[in-house]
Amino acid sequence: MGKMIDKSLMLTYLYLLVYILLSSGVILYNKWVLSPKYFNFPFPITLTMIHMGFSGIVAFFLIRVFKVVAPVKMTFEIYATCVIPISAFFASSLWFGNTAYLHISVAFIQMLKALMPVATFVMAVLCGTDKLKCDVFLNMLLVSVGVVVSSYGEIHFNVVGTLYQVTGIFAEALRLVLTQVLLQKKGLTLNPITSLYYIAPCSFLFLAIPWYFLEKPGMEVSQIQFNFWIFFSNAICALALNFSIFLVIGRTGAVTIRVAGVLKDWILIALSTVIFPESAITTLNITGYAIALCGVVMYNYLKVKEVRASQPPSENIPERISKEWKLEKKSSDVYRPDSNDDKGAVDRDNDSIVDEEAPLISSSRLSYIGRTQLNIHELNNRSQ
């Protein structure tokens, strides 16, 4: 029995390690591809469209050709009122987040991403899906102060890059809240593959509009060589990250993922200063980021406490996740809120799992595992 537990634990740690490596790798890879000092492909919309096109094609083959999962019952009304607006904000968050790489360092981008819970909380309150609570508001204020201090200490502070990143964060926050408000009201469940199948092609089309006006003219005059293997491997990494998060969520709880996410951010900040020496960080940077993380950790603690208080003692979170995971594998597409009223408590905790490099996972698990919004900082860029 002890050996089985050890084996299971080892496998969980292995999944967490793969998640941290893939998430860090995708961010650093995107930065390397886009940076004028390295691969020099300064077309973030094009890179994002490659990711979306590749993900959509893979999802199409998995659903229509290999029939790994069944497609959900998608009507034109649901597509028009839910999938299209969600895809629009998803495309915007990827576009702005990837464009930030052209102007600011990876380390500073990670520090700004601490604002994600603040952005999602603000959007949730504005959309009426969350209430303005004093303790949560104070936590959000602490996070904001930390990010401001960190920004003040940034040596290569760039207003344009900061605005792109912050706008991308708020677009992603609005997408998360919209996913909850729109898709869940329709009772629609999307797993990672069906999310990619419906949302990726729509996001691709949205990105094609700014691409035509902003990047196509520049690509025609510049002599940039298109390296197939670079972009193919980059898209593979982004797709693998989506599935690695899904695997990790299936084996652990939200708290573990959040801790892994914070660990990943510190590793990424340290790694980025080694790989990209021009992105020096200061003591004030780190101090501000540490203050922001204190707010995030305190917020997570409050959310976990709230979830546990409303959760029946008979069933723990891993058991629930296991059940919901089985439901998703059957590709159920109807969520019946009257069947499990208490389920929302656990779902609220898990919905905050959003990796900024693989944004689709939050929406993919929203109906079963993840019924509100707040996320410790994470999901595309930047997959994007």
Side-chain angles (χ1 to χ4, degrees):
M1 183 69 180
K3 283 186 179 178
M4 282 195 59
I5 292 172
D6 287 347
K7 191 177 177 183
S8 175
L9 199 62
M10 288 302 291
L11 200 56
T12 302
Y13 283 128
L14 179 64
Y15 284 167
L16 283 169
L17 179 64
V18 169
Y19 155 68
I20 290 172
L21 290 176
L22 280 172
S23 185
S24 304
V26 169
I27 293 170
L28 295 170
Y29 203 168
N30 284 353
K31 172 69 174 177
W32 181 82
V33 168
L34 294 167
S35 176
K37 293 185 179 179
Y38 299 95
F39 186 70
N40 190 24
F41 185 79
F43 301 108
I45 304 176
T46 307
L47 184 67
T48 309
M49 286 175 73
I50 291 169
H51 289 152
M52 291 297 96
F54 180 76
S55 297
I57 290 167
V58 169
F60 175 82
F61 275 94
L62 289 174
I63 289 175
R64 296 294 180 187
V65 180
F66 299 110
K67 304 191 185 302
V68 174
V69 295
V72 299
K73 295 182 181 71
M74 181 67 70
T75 65
F76 177 77
E77 189 251 345
I78 291 177
Y79 196 86
T81 59
C82 300
V83 175
I84 289 178
I86 287 167
S87 299
F89 284 105
F90 181 43
S92 303
S93 72
L94 305 189
W95 167 18
F96 294 130
N98 274 339
T99 305
Y101 286 122
L102 296 175
H103 303 280
I104 53 180
S105 69
V106 170
F108 187 47
I109 283 173
Q110 291 308 116
M111 292 174 191
L112 287 175
K113 281 175 185 171
L115 279 174
M116 192 66 210
V118 179
T120 319
F121 178 68
V122 169
M123 291 301 175
V125 170
L126 290 176
C127 293
T129 61
D130 210 343
K131 292 188 178 72
L132 188 61
K133 295 176 187 170
C134 185
D135 52 357
V136 177
F137 177 75
L138 290 174
N139 282 341
M140 299 299 100
L141 201 61
L142 186 63
V143 172
S144 304
V145 168
V147 171
V148 169
V149 171
S150 186
S151 303
Y152 185 75
E154 176 65 15
I155 297 173
H156 306 294
F157 183 80
N158 181 291
V159 176
V160 175
T162 304
L163 284 175
Y164 268 119
Q165 183 59 41
V166 172
T167 306
I169 286 170
F170 274 89
E172 174 61 12
L174 192 51
R175 181 193 69 81
L176 282 171
V177 177
L178 275 182
T179 303
Q180 180 203 0
V181 171
L182 298 177
L183 278 188
Q184 289 171 10
K185 280 190 177 174
K186 304 288 183 186
L188 195 69
T189 301
L190 296 178
N191 62 39
I193 300 172
T194 49
S195 279
L196 291 169
Y197 180 73
Y198 292 110
I199 294 173
C202 193
S203 295
F204 180 92
L205 293 176
F206 272 112
L207 289 164
I209 300 166
W211 173 82
Y212 184 81
F213 293 103
L214 299 176
E215 292 191 0
K216 185 173 176 282
M219 294 180 81
E220 286 170 351
V221 296
S222 65
Q223 299 300 308
I224 291 176
Q225 291 190 333
F226 189 90
N227 187 316
F228 172 80
W229 292 110
I230 290 287
F231 293 103
F232 180 68
S233 58
N234 184 263
I236 286 276
C237 289
L239 188 66
L241 175 61
N242 276 279
F243 292 114
S244 77
I245 297 173
F246 193 58
L247 283 173
V248 169
I249 293 172
R251 294 194 66 88
T252 67
V255 183
T256 311
I257 281 276
R258 285 169 170 164
V259 172
V262 172
L263 179 63
K264 180 211 75 179
D265 284 346
W266 283 111
I267 291 170
L268 198 47
I269 288 170
L271 266 180
S272 68
T273 57
V274 175
I275 297 171
F276 306 111
E278 70 277 7
S279 62
I281 53 175
T282 64
T283 307
L284 207 53
N285 271 149
I286 295 297
T287 305
Y289 187 53
I291 292 170
L293 278 187
C294 285
V296 172
V297 169
M298 283 163 65
Y299 166 76
N300 288 340
Y301 171 74
L302 287 172
K303 290 300 278 185
V304 170
K305 205 163 79 164
E306 180 188 320
V307 166
R308 286 180 178 161
S310 57
Q311 177 191 332
S314 60
E315 193 170 32
N316 60 31
I317 288 177
E319 285 169 352
R320 283 173 179 268
I321 290 174
S322 173
K323 283 183 182 178
E324 289 161 355
W325 165 245
K326 284 171 188 167
L327 279 169
E328 286 190 8
K329 285 178 89 172
K330 290 176 189 168
S331 201
S332 309
D333 59 303
V334 178
Y335 167 68
R336 297 177 179 83
D338 54 339
S339 64
N340 257 321
D341 289 337
D342 61 304
K343 183 187 286 185
V346 177
D347 291 341
R348 270 199 297 281
D349 189 37
N350 259 324
D351 182 34
S352 62
I353 304 165
V354 186
D355 188 280
E356 70 279 356
E357 295 311 308
L360 279 177
I361 292 304
S362 64
S363 59
S364 66
R365 296 187 70 80
L366 262 166
S367 282
Y368 282 122
I369 305 185
R371 204 145 312 277
T372 62
Q373 60 288 19
L374 264 150
N375 120 41
I376 132 175
H377 55 206
E378 310 198 307
L379 228 1
N380 200 183
N381 5 107
R382 283 111 212 91
S383 143
Q384 233 119 255

